[in-house]
Amino acid sequence: MRLDLTPYRRSTIGFDRLFDMLESNARAATAENYPPFNLERLAEDRYRITLAVAGFSRDEIEITAQQNLLLVSGKKDDKAGNANFLHVGIANRSFERRFELADFVFVEDARLNDGLLVIDLVREVPEAMKPKTIAIKTGAPLSAVEDKTDVAEAA
């Protein structure tokens, strides 16, 4: 499937990053889906990614978080190269998964247990960017300011 966002690019300003991300994800959707994963929303500002990485040890997986990108990669050592398998049904190949993160989303924790890699994410919006309520004061109305130039000319 080809995604053409050209009409939207012509009529919007400042959304280039969003359109680039949509187009790259559309291309990647046709690519390989290994390892399988789940995306979960735990709360308003909490998320979880769970990847099925059976057969990978903690030393074979690397998680890299940088601005707006989470990269999870696994490098499988070829220790079983001499094994005499009759059937190989468990995927033991290296992988790389990329997740685009929104602004202010950070990795809070990562755990590997029972073949599942669980990555917890949290969105922490800085206080300066959060909406704030402005108090409305009450009291006497403001007095009018007299124009002192008229008084000076009359004198």
Side-chain angles (χ1 to χ4, degrees):
M1 176 178 105
R2 187 176 181 290
L3 186 62
D4 184 16
L5 299 172
T6 306
Y8 301 106
R9 285 183 183 269
R10 284 191 297 245
S11 61
T12 59
I13 298 170
F15 292 95
D16 297 335
R17 183 172 162 261
L18 173 66
F19 293 137
D20 292 343
M21 182 183 69
L22 289 171
E23 288 172 343
S24 85
N25 283 341
R27 283 191 298 272
T30 60
E32 187 176 331
N33 278 334
Y34 176 77
F37 65 93
N38 292 338
L39 295 176
E40 223 178 323
R41 185 176 192 168
L42 304 174
E44 185 176 332
D45 291 331
R46 297 191 160 288
Y47 304 89
R48 177 173 288 158
I49 301 171
T50 305
L51 290 103
V53 292
F56 282 85
S57 70
R58 192 177 57 187
D59 297 335
E60 296 170 326
I61 299 173
E62 183 175 305
I63 301 172
T64 306
Q66 52 192 14
Q67 185 177 3
N68 300 104
L69 179 67
L70 176 66
L71 177 64
V72 181
S73 58
K75 294 253 190 239
K76 195 64 180 160
D77 293 337
D78 195 17
K79 297 174 188 171
N82 300 345
N84 190 13
F85 287 109
L86 297 176
H87 172 73
V88 178
I90 300 173
N92 266 346
R93 59 187 180 267
S94 297
F95 68 88
E96 182 176 279
R97 274 279 186 198
R98 294 174 178 268
F99 298 94
E100 297 282 338
L101 302 178
D103 291 336
F104 313 115
V105 174
F106 304 100
V107 175
E108 183 179 52
D109 188 33
R111 296 176 310 282
L112 179 64
N113 192 22
D114 296 333
L116 296 176
L117 177 63
V118 178
I119 303 169
D120 288 329
L121 305 165
V122 64
R123 180 182 2 208
E124 295 177 352
V125 179
E127 285 297 321
M129 299 193 75
K130 289 182 180 176
K132 58 184 170 186
T133 304
I134 307 300
I136 301 173
K137 299 175 185 170
T138 59
L142 297 175
S143 59
V145 178
E146 295 178 13
D147 188 4
K148 303 223 183 228
T149 56
D150 292 339
V151 175
E153 290 175 7

